[in-house]
């Protein structure tokens, strides 16, 4: 079983949102899930920004952030974008990756189809 640290779980939530249809509902759900992370969120976002994994102007995942997670989760970097969430679901289940932040786990599982 694999375990992602808090900052990787936050980045993964941004990753999922990136591959969803762009609309207020999806972005609102992301904000709600992230707000439940607590006071660590700002420091996590700053660290992700500093590493170039999160954009500082719109707080969305960068290409480097996507490649970082693709590598950790064993997702082919050339996988078709519309299938990224299916690959994510398969790899979360295959590698039994644990998500320890309940709100982020719920958000990710909802959008990749894990019940």
């Amino acid at each position: 079983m694999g375990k992602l640290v808090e900052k990787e779980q936050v980045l993964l939530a941004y990753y999922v949102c990136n591959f969803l249809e762009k609309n207020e509902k999806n972005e609102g759900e992301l904000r709600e899930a992230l707000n439940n992370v607590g006071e660590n969120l700002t420091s996590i976002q700053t660290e992700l920004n500093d590493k170039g994994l999160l954009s500082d102007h719109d707080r969305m995942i960068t290409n480097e952030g996507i490649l970082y997670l693709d590598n950790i989760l064993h997702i082919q970097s050339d996988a078709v974008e519309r299938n990224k969430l299916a690959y994510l679901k398969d790899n979360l289940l295959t590698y039994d990756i644990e998500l320890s932040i309940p709100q982020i786990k719920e958000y990710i599982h909802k959008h990749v189809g894990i019940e």
Side-chain angles (χ1 to χ4, degrees), residues 17 19 23 30 35 37 51 55 66 77 85 90 102-103 108:
C17 186
F19 294 107
N23 62 42
L30 173 64
N35 284 338
V37 171
K51 291 183 176 186
S55 169
I66 291 170
S77 61
L85 295 180
D90 290 344
Q103 296 82 2
I108 291 168

Side-chain angles (χ1 to χ4, degrees), residues 4-19 30 34 37 41 44-45 47-49 51-55 59-70 72-73 88 99 101 104 107-108:
L4 298 178
V5 296
E6 250 185 10
K7 70 177 181 179
E8 292 168 338
Q9 292 178 58
V10 168
L11 189 62
L12 187 58
Y14 282 107
Y15 181 95
V16 168
C17 186
N18 183 71
F19 294 107
L30 173 64
L34 293 175
V37 171
L41 180 61
I44 290 170
Q45 288 173 325
E47 184 179 347
L48 293 172
N49 268 340
K51 291 183 176 186
L53 304 176
L54 198 62
S55 169
R59 291 279 191 213
M60 291 309 288
I61 194 167
T62 62
N63 287 334
E64 291 81 8
I66 291 170
L67 293 174
Y68 175 83
L69 285 174
D70 283 350
I72 287 176
L73 299 169
L88 175 59
L99 302 172
I101 304 171
I104 289 182
Y107 172 81
I108 291 168

